[in-house]
Amino acid sequence: MSTFPTQAAPNSSTSMTPTFLLVGMPGLSAVPSWWTAPLITIYLLSVLGNSTILWIIAMEPTLHRPMHFFLFLLSVSDVGLATALMPTLLGLALADAHAVPASACLLQMFFVHVFSVMESSVLLAMAFDRALAICRPLHYPTLLTNDVVRKIGLTIVFRCLGLHLPLPFLLAHMPYCHPQVLTHSYCLHPDIARLACPRAWGAVYSLFVVLSAMGLDPLLIFFSYGLIGRVLQGLGSSEDRWKAGQTCAAHLSAVLLFYVPMILLALIDRLRMPVPQPAHTLLSYVHFLLPPLINPILYSVKMKEIREKILKRLQPRKVGCAQ
């Protein structure tokens, strides 16, 4: 079965057309209820897990530290990203709705990329935090003060908004010379910019946004882990290396979970690799939907402080006096 309606896609050479056409999971449009339940389950579990992380960090004064503040921001970005993706995904699942008005598409695009870049920025800040804690343990408290952490948080917010606020306005006024058929189940700015006429400078800005965030951040993160690896090699015993490495385990897992599917998607698109459309669509779902679901589990399992505080809060309190 086709992944989008058989009607001809609109075309324009002067301005944005009123609708875009999304691609669903091939073969599932005939049985939309089959993937509606998993989608809703994934979303609810993502919100529940990240809300638990937000709640425990907010309620526990002992968790008001830099690493946990960055974890708080990561959970905010995960909830925002999962929520921004749901309208078109549920529209495809429930009603096989492939056509999306341009205004709604641009609005979804804005929030998806704001929260996606926020997640990338927070992962970079967490790598910086781990590198300082391991490479400069004696200077860590004086270097990463509460004031510095607040400034990093504000920088992340301004970076996300500053990079992406111009994009909806630029893309709304760009000339389009290709059929308005997107390659994903949600609106992404590289996907929309690809449909623009040649030499549309809005598409150039779109490429700049991708490279300045999703291109730069993983390089800086892996550079931070290079510094951490060099310090770990210099530690005396394997037990010390293991303990120090364990403090990075959850973060490194979150980094790989977020960036590996993204890099694979970029390679597939740039190298025009002959990957079946179902595999391409599934990989994009993994990139966007799996981190919000898995990150709370990773940090609850790997971070002892988070795990213990959650278990303590969930334990029923005893009432009455001991005999």
Side-chain angles (χ1 to χ4, degrees), residues 25-26 186 261 265 276-288:
M25 180 63 81
Y186 19 76
L265 281 171
Q277 182 61 45
H280 185 274
T281 304
L282 183 61
L283 191 57
S284 77
Y285 289 170
V286 169
H287 169 56
F288 283 110

Side-chain angles (χ1 to χ4, degrees), residues 10-17 174-178 180 195-197:
N11 194 9
S12 174
S13 60
T14 57
S15 61
M16 175 170 284
T17 55
M174 281 169 54
Y176 289 81
C177 299
H178 304 282
Q180 310 298 281
L195 306 175
C197 297

Side-chain angles (χ1 to χ4, degrees), residues 240-273:
D240 291 337
R241 287 195 293 271
W242 170 257
K243 288 181 179 179
Q246 279 298 101
T247 65
C248 303
H251 176 256
L252 186 57
S253 301
V255 167
L256 295 175
L257 184 65
F258 183 75
Y259 286 111
V260 169
M262 183 196 74
I263 292 171
L264 290 177
L265 281 171
L267 289 175
I268 290 170
D269 291 337
R270 293 297 175 187
L271 301 178
R272 301 187 182 277
M273 298 170 65

Side-chain angles (χ1 to χ4, degrees), residues 282-301:
L282 183 61
L283 191 57
S284 77
Y285 289 170
V286 169
H287 169 56
F288 283 110
L289 295 177
L290 215 54
L293 177 66
I294 301 298
N295 282 343
I297 301 173
L298 280 175
Y299 282 97
S300 299
V301 171

Side-chain angles (χ1 to χ4, degrees), residues 140-160:
Y140 176 80
T142 57
L143 290 174
L144 211 58
T145 61
N146 289 335
D147 188 49
V148 171
V149 170
R150 280 193 293 268
K151 289 178 181 178
I152 292 175
L154 288 174
T155 301
I156 290 173
V157 172
F158 284 125
R159 182 196 193 200
C160 299

Side-chain angles (χ1 to χ4, degrees), residues 78-252:
D78 278 338
V79 171
L81 182 59
T83 303
L85 293 167
M86 281 301 113
T88 53
L89 287 175
L90 289 178
L92 286 166
L94 292 171
D96 199 25
H98 292 265
V100 179
S103 57
C105 192
L106 292 177
L107 187 64
Q108 183 188 49
M109 176 207 74
F110 173 76
F111 284 109
V112 166
H113 285 291
V114 162
F115 288 115
S116 186
V117 171
M118 181 178 178
E119 178 141 356
S120 181
S121 302
V122 172
L123 289 173
L124 175 58
M126 295 172 90
F128 173 70
D129 172 85
R130 290 300 84 201
L132 275 181
I134 293 175
C135 300
R136 295 288 185 270
L138 298 179
H139 300 93
Y140 176 80
T142 57
L143 290 174
L144 211 58
T145 61
N146 289 335
D147 188 49
V148 171
V149 170
R150 280 193 293 268
K151 289 178 181 178
I152 292 175
L154 288 174
T155 301
I156 290 173
V157 172
F158 284 125
R159 182 196 193 200
C160 299
L161 295 177
L163 281 175
H164 290 95
L165 199 56
L167 272 173
F169 303 100
L170 290 174
L171 294 175
H173 295 90
M174 281 169 54
Y176 289 81
C177 299
H178 304 282
Q180 310 298 281
V181 180
L182 303 178
T183 59
H184 294 281
S185 303
Y186 19 76
C187 301
L188 306 176
H189 70 71
D191 214 10
I192 298 174
R194 175 182 57 85
L195 306 175
C197 297
R199 298 182 181 179
W201 69 277
V204 177
Y205 181 77
S206 175
L207 180 62
F208 164 75
V209 169
V210 172
L211 294 178
S212 63
M214 297 306 192
L216 182 62
D217 290 0
L219 292 178
L220 293 176
I221 289 172
F222 291 124
F223 174 74
S224 299
Y225 272 99
L227 297 177
I228 291 172
R230 190 174 64 177
V231 171
L232 293 182
Q233 285 181 345
L235 293 179
S237 66
S238 58
E239 184 180 355
D240 291 337
R241 287 195 293 271
W242 170 257
K243 288 181 179 179
Q246 279 298 101
T247 65
C248 303
H251 176 256
L252 186 57

